[in-house]
Each structure stands twice: as structure tokens, then as C-alpha cells.
Amino acid sequence: MKDNKFNIAVLIDGDNAQAKQIKEIIEEVSKYGKATIRRIYGDWTSRHMNSWKDKINQHSISPIQKFAYTTGKNSTDSLMIIDAMDILHSKSVEGFCIVSSDSDYTGLAKRIREEGLFVMGIGRKITPLAFVNSCEIFTFSENLGPEEEEESNPTKSMVKQTKTSKPTKETATKVIYPPTKKPSIPQVDLMVIDKAFEISTHGEEVEAYISQLGLALRKIDPSFDPRTYGFRTLTLLFESLKKYNVVKNEINGLNHPMVRLM
């Protein structure tokens, strides 16, 4: 966890992010510092950007115009990278958050880290591994909440039609819809957990702080997130593992849980 005075520049690829998640994105960045610079890049003459127009004022985000010179080509990446380098050299922030699923930002993330600055990414699970691993921390947007506005639901529309229409022999037949398929939750890789525990302990120690384990897991896999596996916190994830035992550890009235081998 970064200090509250830790300034972060949040740069959003408007062609590659979801407007509905902006509140969750800012909250996620706030776990590590203050989002002092907030910019979103895109072609604001395009209808594609309409969903952002109300959100940018609500969350104090500066819109940056970038005309699309070629149809079907994301033209925001070049301007966003140039801006990032200008901010980097101004030394006005201690970290960056790149909001995109585009591999074009892999080099930018590497360059920022070479300067010793903190860099995190937020993008979908389809984000190329090269970009994910170039960040110190990478959060999948699927873990932040609903991504897209609800599309027209055929079930709801048919129910509405049935209610408003006069019943006939054709509409009187009861329609049975298949159950909605829930997304599968991946299993935790115990080899990664064991490796993080080994990194977090020294010598013959058999216990480690949850906070230390979290840092070790991010070093191994920048995208590691307990929410990916259906757990709200890392503590809850370890409580579900039979091999480990979570114990309370109060220091000055605050709980700093520790994990021990069973």
C-alpha cells in the first residue's frame, strides 16, 4: 500500500475502456495513492465517446482530443504515450496508472519502471501478458464490477410483449428460457501461493503477514487478485486453503493477520 501523498497520473485510453467503471477505476487507484492527474484520450467527435461525456465531469477527468486519421485504427495510443513521457520528465508524480487492454502500452510501462516509478495497469482479461507483466500491479477490470451497460434482454422484451399483448393461442404457450450461464471461477494455483509464502518467510519461519504475502504474490504475478478467484480479500482466500491457517495478530489495537502452515 502506497502513502496517501503518493501522486499518480491516471491515463485512460477512451477507445479501450468502459465508462461505466470509471468510479471503480478511481477507487482502485486510490488504494495506492492520489490520482492527481486524470486524463482520457479519444476522438470526441465520435459517437463511441458519448458514454464518457457525463462521467468526465463527475470525476474531474480532463478530455484530450485525438482525431482518428485512419478508420478502424486506435489513434489515441501515440498521443497518450507522448503525454506520459512529458509527465514523467516533469517529475510531478511518483507513479502512473494506464487504463487500457492494448499491448501498444507495453513499452511505455517498461520505460516508466526503468525510471524507478510505480506503474499499474487496469484492463480486461484479454490484455496481452507482455503488458500485464510490464506493470508492477495489474488489475483486471472484470474484478471491479460490471463492465458494459446492460444490453437489451430478449427475455425481458418478450415478457413485456406478452403482458401488453392480448393473449392468443400462439402467445398463450409458456416459453421456457435456458438458465443464464454463470462465468466460471478459476482455481487458485497453489504453486504460486507456496512460492509467495516461501518468499515471505525467512529461514525456518512458518508464518508470514498477509501484507507480505500480497506483495510477494504481486511480484510473482502482477495481475494476482483474490477477486479473480471469488474472494473479496486475500485473508478470505487463505482461510479457504486447508494447507494454511490465518490467525489474528493485534498490534496497537489494529489487526495485522498472519498466515501459518498447518
Side-chain angles (χ1 to χ4, degrees):
M1 190 70 68
K2 297 293 182 182
D3 187 273
N4 288 332
K5 295 181 180 179
F6 193 86
N7 295 324
I8 298 176
V10 182
L11 307 181
I12 304 170
D13 182 348
D15 296 325
N16 211 278
Q18 298 294 336
K20 189 178 182 181
Q21 289 190 308
I22 187 59
K23 179 176 180 290
E24 288 76 14
I25 288 171
I26 297 299
E27 288 175 350
E28 190 71 15
V29 175
S30 297
K31 292 180 181 180
Y32 304 95
K34 296 192 300 181
T36 52
I37 295 176
R38 305 178 185 185
R39 298 178 185 176
I40 179 170
Y41 301 77
D43 185 356
W44 295 92
T45 64
S46 169
R47 292 177 58 186
H48 171 73
M49 299 298 293
N50 286 346
S51 59
W52 285 102
K53 291 181 179 178
D54 291 334
K55 303 290 185 181
I56 58 176
N57 288 328
Q58 293 174 14
H59 298 280
S60 187
I61 302 172
S62 301
I64 308 298
Q65 171 64 26
K66 177 62 177 178
F67 289 103
Y69 299 119
T70 306
T71 304
K73 171 65 177 173
N74 182 355
S75 61
T76 63
D77 50 1
S78 58
L79 180 58
M80 191 163 145
I81 290 170
I82 292 170
D83 264 12
M85 295 308 296
D86 286 343
I87 296 170
L88 177 66
H89 291 124
S90 72
K91 302 186 183 300
S92 58
V93 298
E94 289 74 44
F96 284 79
C97 176
I98 303 169
V99 183
S100 179
S101 306
D102 195 334
S103 62
D104 289 348
Y105 299 107
T106 302
L108 174 62
K110 289 179 179 178
R111 183 69 181 83
I112 294 171
R113 291 193 67 175
E114 286 175 358
E115 289 294 321
L117 272 68
F118 169 80
V119 56
M120 70 179 293
I122 298 178
R124 290 175 291 170
K125 290 181 179 179
I126 63 170
T127 304
L129 193 59
F131 180 30
V132 172
N133 289 337
S134 295
C135 299
E136 188 173 338
I137 290 173
F138 196 94
T139 300
F140 291 128
S141 56
E142 289 89 343
N143 291 331
L144 300 180
E147 282 197 296
E148 298 178 351
E149 299 289 343
E150 188 179 82
E151 299 293 337
S152 56
N153 190 322
T155 304
K156 290 183 179 180
S157 61
M158 290 195 72
V159 170
K160 184 177 180 181
Q161 182 180 1
T162 303
K163 288 182 178 180
T164 55
S165 306
K166 292 182 179 180
T168 63
K169 289 183 179 180
E170 289 79 6
T171 59
T173 303
K174 185 177 181 180
V175 179
I176 300 176
Y177 297 96
T180 303
K181 186 178 180 181
K182 294 183 179 179
S184 59
I185 298 176
Q187 295 294 314
V188 180
D189 187 345
L190 289 178
M191 291 183 64
V192 173
I193 297 292
D194 292 343
K195 183 64 177 177
F197 188 83
E198 181 183 338
I199 293 172
S200 303
T201 54
H202 306 281
E204 298 181 355
E205 291 181 8
V206 291
E207 61 184 20
Y209 287 104
I210 281 284
S211 57
Q212 292 176 328
L213 285 165
L215 292 173
L217 285 165
R218 289 287 195 177
K219 288 178 181 178
I220 298 170
D221 178 4
S223 66
F224 188 92
D225 191 329
R227 292 170 293 187
T228 300
Y229 308 100
F231 298 95
R232 186 170 54 85
T233 65
L234 190 58
T235 300
L236 294 175
L237 186 152
F238 270 94
E239 287 177 347
S240 72
L241 302 177
K242 294 181 180 180
K243 185 176 180 179
Y244 296 97
N245 182 34
V246 178
V247 295
K248 290 185 177 180
N249 180 45
E250 290 194 2
I251 301 176
N252 296 327
L254 298 176
N255 184 31
H256 298 273
M258 301 191 74
V259 174
R260 291 176 181 168
L261 280 171
M262 293 289 283

